[in-house]
Amino acid sequence: MAGETVDGRLVLAATPLGDARDASARLADALATADVVAAEDTRRLRSLAAALGVTVTGKVISHYDAVEAARLPGLLDDVRAGRTVLVVSDAGMPAVSDPGYRLVAAAAAEDLPVTCLPGPSAVTTALVLSGLPCERFCFEGFAPRRGGERRRWLGALVAEPRAAVFFESPHRLADTLADAVAVLGAERPAAVCRELTKTHEEVLRGTLGELAAWAAEGPVRGEITVVLAGAGPTAAPAVETLVGAVRERVADGERLKDAVAVVAEAAGVPKRELYAAAVRKG
C-alpha cells in the first residue's frame, strides 16, 4: 500500500495500572472519539471510561489472547476503511505481554498508520521503585510456569549484567523466588513490587533469600512485578551451584555434554569445570 493515503489509523494506548487518575487527557479523548475500541476486557474498559467520565461512542470489541488472531483481519479492514481503531489492555501498554503485537506488525507490513499514546507501565514503575541500578535493563515477560523450564530460564540470567524485570502470579511467587535462590544465589539483590499505584501498593526490597522467606510465609496477593539486580563483574557462580540446572536439562532428555554447554555459556563458566562437577555429583 506504499504511496496510498489512508485516513484510518491504529492507536495503541497505555491505561492506568490501578489509579484512574493516571490516565492521560489524550487517552480520555481517544476513548470518546475512536470508531472502534479493541479492549482486552470490555468490562474493565467500561469501568475505566466511567471513572474518567467518558462516553465510548465507537464500536467496542473484545481483544484478548484467545481471539487476537481472529480479530486481526477485521481490525485491519477498519483501518483501511478510514476508521480509527484504539487498542487498550487491562492495564499498562498493549503489546507488552498483552495483545497488540500481531496487529501492529500486520499494520506496519501494509504501511498503515500506527501511533501510540504513552502512559503507565508496570515495568518502568517497578524499576524506579526497586532502588536497584536500572540504567540498563531487560524485560522477561511472565516467568515460566513449570519448575524445570523456570530454572533453565533463571539460569540464563546468572551472568546477565542488566537489571531484569518480569511478571509473576502471586500463587507462584514463592516457588519462583525459591528457584531464583537456588539458581542465582541467596545474596542477589531484588525487589518484589505488589499492586503498583493501587491502594495497597507495596515494594519489598532485599536479597533473594530474604524475599523468598517472606513469600514462603504467604499468602501473597495482587499484581506482582519482580526486579532482579544485574550480575556484578564478580558474580559468576561456583560451578557446583549450576549442577542442578544441568540435571534438569538432562532429565528433560538432553545429553549431558549439550546440557553442560548451554548452562556453562549462560553462566559464563568453563564447560570443562562444569562437566567435571556434574560427573562428580552423579
Side-chain angles (χ1 to χ4, degrees), residues 28-193:
D29 181 66
L31 288 171
T33 60
D35 299 298
V36 180
V37 180
E40 186 177 10
D41 186 322
T42 58
R43 291 170 299 180
R44 291 197 182 189
L45 168 67
R46 299 292 187 187
S47 296
L48 174 61
L52 299 178
V54 170
T55 299
V56 178
T57 58
K59 179 176 66 174
V60 176
I61 67 168
S62 58
H63 188 244
Y64 52 94
D65 288 335
V67 302
E68 182 180 11
R71 295 280 192 264
L72 192 152
L75 292 173
L76 290 179
D77 285 343
D78 284 325
V79 177
R80 295 189 198 101
R83 302 183 184 96
T84 295
V85 174
L86 177 67
V87 178
V88 294
S89 62
D90 289 348
M93 184 64 72
V96 181
S97 290
D98 279 321
Y101 158 74
R102 293 179 179 86
L103 185 56
V104 173
E110 295 189 27
D111 289 327
L112 296 172
V114 181
T115 191
C116 177
L117 306 186
S121 165
V123 175
T124 52
T125 301
L127 273 168
V128 299
L129 288 177
S130 71
L132 299 170
C134 57
E135 292 84 359
R136 299 175 63 225
F137 69 91
C138 58
F139 174 57
E140 295 290 324
F142 282 90
R145 296 188 176 198
R146 299 180 60 180
E149 182 183 353
R150 185 168 59 235
R151 287 186 285 276
R152 288 193 295 273
W153 168 74
L154 286 164
L157 298 177
V158 168
E160 172 57 64
R162 298 168 295 179
V165 187
F166 65 90
F167 300 146
E168 183 54 288
S169 159
H171 310 296
R172 290 191 295 273
L173 180 64
D175 289 340
T176 295
L177 291 178
D179 285 342
V181 168
V183 176
L184 303 176
E187 298 306 311
R188 185 83 158 244
V192 174
C193 305

Side-chain angles (χ1 to χ4, degrees), residues 180-239:
V181 168
V183 176
L184 303 176
E187 298 306 311
R188 185 83 158 244
V192 174
C193 305
R194 192 180 71 84
E195 294 289 86
L196 289 171
T197 79
K198 301 176 184 177
T199 302
H200 300 292
E201 176 179 286
E202 183 178 25
V203 180
L204 295 104
R205 307 173 184 88
T207 65
L208 280 174
E210 292 167 340
L211 294 173
W214 164 78
E217 295 176 357
V220 178
R221 296 186 175 89
E223 301 285 339
I224 303 293
T225 306
V226 179
V227 184
L228 299 173
T234 60
V239 291

